[in-house]
Amino acid sequence: KVEATEGDTLLTALARAGVSVPTLCHMKDLSPTGACRLCVVEDLLSGRLVPACSYPAAGEMRIASRSPRVLEARKTIVQLLLSNHPDDCLYCGRSGRCELQALAGELGVSRRLYRGTRARRELDVSSPSLTRDPEKCILCGRCVRVCEEVQGVSAIDFIGRGSQTVIGTAFDTGLNVSSCVSCGQCAMVCPTGAIMERSNVDDVLAALADPKKTVVVQSAPAVSVSLAEELGHEPGMDVNGQMVAALRHTGFDYVFDTAFSADLTIMEEASELLHRIKNGGTLPMMTSCSPGWVKFVETFYPERISNLSTCKSPQQMLGALIKTHFAQERGVAPADIVSVAIMPCTAKKFEAGREEMGRGGLQDVDFALTTRELGRLLKMTGVMMDKLEPEVADTPFGERSSAGKIFGATGGVMEAALRTAYHLMTGEELGDPQIKELRGFDSRKEAHIQFGDVTLGVGVVSGLGAARTLLEELRAGRDDLQFIEVMTCPGGCVGGGGQPYGLAEQAEKRARALYAIDEEAAVRVSHKNECVRQLYAQFLGKPLSERSHELLHTKYEARNVLR
């Protein structure tokens, strides 16, 4: 006997009872489509096969979830999907993590029973962040739904009718001329290898093999709490010290921590916020750390570009310092430095290639690898991270506060910025550095914080669909917020498009790990990072100085969707 509540589908009721039903098109928290029919179960009273994801549970039902008829139906569906699917599993980047491959194994599909006409479609490699292989697409629609319903971008959709249906962009052009913001959430939900990040692993290996190059690497705050998961360990396990050691064993000459430049970002961003408040600048000021969000504003809300902070992201700030200050200190020509960033985000690849992010014909960051790519790099080079003793990152860009570390979770940038903004405004420290109203995985969070005589209205948003809703509220006249943090991906960087494939629950574990690091830290505010203080004293001058504007700030421009 299984208990169900009003509104439950059979899939929900069965899952609560510990009964697993396979799915392909189904997406948690989104309305069911019942498109793939893989979740069929047998209603023994009516004798029908019904889709568990969309069929409502009701009293007096008798449901068979593993009857011979059900298993045969599911097996046939998988066999039909495989009838014109490429047989290149040995070369596919999703091999071993492909849901279609797993279902074939689970259902005992061991040979090709049906042979359909092989669809021939060109590989789309136009995007700097993602690749699309339409031949591997099984039309589950998950990428379409996450792009439209979660992110509000609608860069891809179903094109054509009947057997000619495919998934593509407007006018069936490349991703590079679509409204795609490179967030990679489509790659996260794709069950096959139809959408993946554009790999730069071979580029990095070539740089590591070149004795003439000084290869420098930085790693984002969220990577250390997700890399272990990519290598088969428990989600949320922090392996920062072992990751530093592994990067050195891989051959990188210097290993830096992007959380250092997150502290630097806070110094600049908090100063910019106070400058805008005191001098009648454009409000609300919106964070600019997330490149997918920046491109979203440039594409869909260009009238809000002036609201974006002019601060570069931590990745790009550190990239700029590596090829200026660090190059000068080490006596290395910037052209001989290869700057690599390990990020939880596919949009960071796009950001690294932006024209604004370099000087003298050189990009500040040469290659951005995702967490998944770092896992592949370590496996290819034979580095066994769990066998290594922890090491610390290199100075001067290795020291961080825990404020820089919590950047990886939604609300973390805002909390870190407010800790320092409060100090800059009042000269005092927040009694409790935790701002609990801004924590958690809700897509929208708001608070009004008292800063001396000033009440600051702040908002935190994760996921571009939620960001669009807030932007529409601002367009309609809302004016009670002065500072807004937006993360492109639901949950923030811990749920980024370059993170290990998995469920939202795993992203929440990663966020909890970041906050646990914050709880135990000796330095919890960016303005007390001694290496940041020295950098200002010896090189930058002060926040918002002419040199910091030259290296750490940038500008954005409106984009036509078709460019």
Side-chain angles (χ1 to χ4, degrees), residues 394-417:
D394 291 303
T395 55
F397 307 139
E399 182 177 325
R400 60 149 179 85
S401 75
S402 61
K405 192 68 176 174
I406 62 174
F407 259 57
T410 173
V413 177
M414 177 63 72
E415 185 171 334

Side-chain angles (χ1 to χ4, degrees), residues 28-29 225 229 234-236 441 490-491 494-495 500-513:
K28 187 181 178 183
D29 299 327
V225 295
E229 182 183 336
E234 189 67 22
F441 258 54
V494 289
Y501 300 116
L503 304 173
E505 290 80 359
Q506 291 164 301
E508 291 183 33
K509 289 181 181 178
R510 299 167 200 156
R512 287 196 293 271

